[in-house]
Amino acid sequence: MAFSGTSNYIATKDLQLAVNAAITLERPLLIKGEPGTGKTMLAEELAASLGTDLIQWHIKSTTKAQQGLYEYDAVSRLRDSQLGDDRVHDIGNYIVKGKLWQAFEAGNRPILLIDEIDKADIEFPNDLLLELDKMEFFVYETQERVVAKVRPIVIITSNNEKELPDAFLRRCFFHYIQFPTPEEMQQIVDVHFPDLKKKLLDEALKAFFEIRDVPGLKKKPSTSELIDWLKLLVAEDIPPEALQSKDGKAAIPPLYGALLKNEQDIHLFEKLVFMARR
């Protein structure tokens, strides 16, 4: 079950080692990195490469750990009792299975993605410690113990918006996705744009990394934003010369709104370019 990346996903050697180590140790793989560096896509491509199901649990600020196990739909049961429905006599009819339950029931070893765990309440990770460790939980309404048929491969992503509890971190195999080097970025772009002209790619990558190097940016452009920008450059048939500064000084690249996503960063970038030209 070794993972070495796919035709659609360039995985560094370190990332490959982390994925395979987590699978061998049967521990959740906690992936951190800048937004847009392919954390969620890793789970999708891992499932595709192993030919197994992907069960995705996207976490929000209001998400509770219990929702991943199951929820008891008391409102529907009350409504059915008022209508005289015979279903009310079996409480199991009102147990809604969560993503962990679905993963525990899967026949083939699935990939369970817990996406952006740091969005939830600080207690959320701790509330899942036992279930992720023992791969079982108890349903109090039906007095049923749910045990995983096979241990799913658990991928957990975090954008580092808040610290995760130590007890939770101890149970995970951790990997931080470093931002790609220009060489690695060129490999990633080649996957998305195999026919892109080399001169345009070279100038685009140069402009992209120059923007990332601007000090004080609130949000540096990510891989996904580079892909969007290149898509626009190709669609608008922008020539490589348009990305070059004529006098060797800093220049504002065309369609830079695809790279910079807030007004503070745009103003800062424009100011620095203006000062460099003086």
Side-chain angles (χ1 to χ4, degrees):
M1 296 184 72
F3 176 70
S4 58
T6 68
S7 59
N8 296 320
Y9 189 88
I10 304 298
T12 63
K13 290 294 183 184
D14 287 345
L15 179 56
Q16 294 175 34
L17 287 171
V19 171
N20 294 319
I23 293 174
T24 300
L25 293 173
E26 296 189 329
R27 289 189 177 275
L29 174 61
L30 174 61
I31 295 287
K32 289 187 178 183
E34 290 183 33
T37 49
K39 299 186 295 297
T40 301
M41 192 177 180
L42 169 65
E44 297 169 354
E45 293 300 321
L46 178 59
S49 71
L50 300 180
T52 190
D53 293 329
L54 173 63
I55 299 171
Q56 303 185 62
W57 187 15
H58 298 290
I59 306 304
K60 302 177 181 178
S61 59
T62 55
T63 303
K64 302 299 180 185
Q66 180 65 32
Q67 293 171 316
L69 309 179
Y70 70 92
E71 292 184 277
Y72 169 48
D73 191 353
V75 174
S76 293
R77 193 180 189 198
L78 174 61
R79 184 183 63 243
D80 288 348
S81 69
Q82 293 170 338
L83 297 173
D85 194 320
D86 287 340
R87 295 176 73 248
V88 298
H89 301 298
D90 182 2
I91 196 171
N93 291 325
Y94 304 95
I95 299 296
V96 181
K97 297 177 181 179
K99 298 297 184 180
L100 264 73
W101 194 332
Q102 294 173 31
F104 287 3
E105 280 189 334
N108 291 332
R109 191 179 186 185
I111 308 295
L112 172 62
L113 171 64
I114 304 177
D115 200 24
E116 298 189 329
I117 194 171
D118 52 326
K119 280 187 175 179
D121 182 86
I122 188 63
E123 290 303 320
F124 179 91
N126 280 337
D127 290 342
L128 290 176
L129 285 180
L130 181 63
E131 289 76 15
L132 291 177
D133 203 20
K134 301 295 185 182
M135 287 291 154
E136 64 178 59
F137 62 89
F138 191 72
V139 184
Y140 293 95
E141 289 80 0
T142 61
Q143 296 296 296
E144 171 188 7
R145 185 171 297 281
V146 178
V147 181
K149 293 180 180 179
V150 290
R151 179 179 284 267
I153 298 170
V154 182
I155 306 290
I156 302 171
T157 72
S158 169
N159 286 328
N160 241 354
E161 292 183 8
K162 62 168 71 84
E163 288 295 321
L164 298 173
D166 289 344
F168 179 79
L169 294 174
R170 267 200 313 274
R171 288 165 170 82
C172 298
F173 190 93
F174 173 76
H175 181 73
Y176 184 88
I177 296 182
Q178 299 288 347
F179 198 82
T181 63
E183 293 74 21
E184 291 168 343
M185 189 65 81
Q186 184 167 340
Q187 289 182 294
I188 294 170
V189 172
D190 286 343
V191 169
H192 295 272
F193 303 96
D195 301 321
L196 191 65
K197 293 178 181 177
K198 186 177 186 307
K199 188 172 183 182
L200 177 60
L201 174 58
D202 290 345
E203 293 299 333
L205 286 178
K206 180 182 176 183
F208 172 76
F209 278 100
E210 283 177 354
I211 291 176
R212 278 188 58 86
D213 288 340
V214 170
L217 283 185
K218 188 175 181 181
K219 184 194 179 306
K220 295 182 179 182
S222 67
T223 307
S224 62
E225 284 145 355
L226 172 62
I227 300 301
D228 288 345
W229 186 49
L230 287 170
K231 192 180 297 182
L232 287 172
L233 294 179
V234 172
E236 297 294 329
D237 197 22
I238 302 294
E241 294 74 24
L243 305 180
Q244 300 171 335
S245 58
K246 296 181 176 61
D247 53 6
K249 296 181 178 179
I252 299 177
L255 303 167
Y256 66 92
L259 299 173
L260 299 173
K261 296 302 178 75
N262 63 66
E263 62 275 15
Q264 297 100 313
D265 286 350
I266 290 174
H267 291 327
L268 173 63
F269 182 67
E270 290 175 339
K271 182 179 179 180
L272 290 174
V273 169
F274 175 76
M275 291 174 64
R277 284 179 172 177
R278 294 183 65 182

